[in-house]
Amino acid sequence: MLLTDVVRHAAERYGEQEAIVCGTYRLTYAVLIERACRLVSGLYRLGYKPGDRIAIISQNCHRVVEVYIAAAISGLVAAPMKVQYPLDEIQEMLLNTAPSCIIADVRDEERVREAASMLAETRLVWWDDDAREDQY
């Protein structure tokens, strides 16, 4: 059974029950899978395809779970990195994974830009929890 199977089954069976509680965010299974599908759609529109590597530089939060599920649905490869790691470690991981895209919280923009500065061809995609909720 794949991660997507587990999440879809939970969405079908327990759709209105909470799947994630992260600070003030409370997402039901139905909303979680819907948001992950919207993220997949957005990444496809940007030209990403199955097999492309997507780095996630973040603290643990609901957005990371959304990206993991989106990666599982789409065939993209998620490469997680904690924003708290030392800068040289993040840079080494980025060089080793050569991601097509880095997804990160806009609040960590300065650190992420510094970490990604040696990757000229890598697109940076930001989430902003202070902006409109329907961004994806």
Side-chain angles (χ1 to χ4, degrees), residues 55-73:
I56 309 159
I57 303 177
S58 176
Q59 297 180 33
N60 287 336
C61 71
H62 65 291
R63 301 284 189 189
V64 174
V65 176
E66 291 171 15
V67 176
Y68 279 136
I69 294 170
I73 291 168

Side-chain angles (χ1 to χ4, degrees), residues 6 21 26 33-34 45-46 51 58 62-63 68 75 86 89 99 101 104 113 118 124 129-130:
V6 172
V21 176
R26 295 180 166 316
I33 195 81
E34 187 266 335
R45 279 194 312 269
L46 290 173
S58 176
H62 65 291
R63 301 284 189 189
Y68 279 136
E89 288 183 24
C101 174
R113 283 192 186 281
M118 75 291 193
L124 301 177
D129 285 337
D130 295 328

Side-chain angles (χ1 to χ4, degrees), residues 5-6 15 22 29 32 35 51 54 64 66 81 93 105 111:
D5 298 328
V6 172
C22 180
Y29 285 98
L32 176 61
R35 290 174 61 88
I54 303 296
V64 174
E66 291 171 15
M81 301 169 200
M93 287 186 277
D105 190 322
R111 182 162 176 78

Side-chain angles (χ1 to χ4, degrees), residues 33-48:
I33 195 81
E34 187 266 335
R35 290 174 61 88
C37 288
R38 287 173 48 200
L39 178 56
V40 168
S41 179
L43 290 169
Y44 281 169
R45 279 194 312 269
L46 290 173
Y48 297 102

Side-chain angles (χ1 to χ4, degrees), residues 10 12 28 70 89 101 108:
E12 289 168 4
T28 64
E89 288 183 24
C101 174
D108 298 317

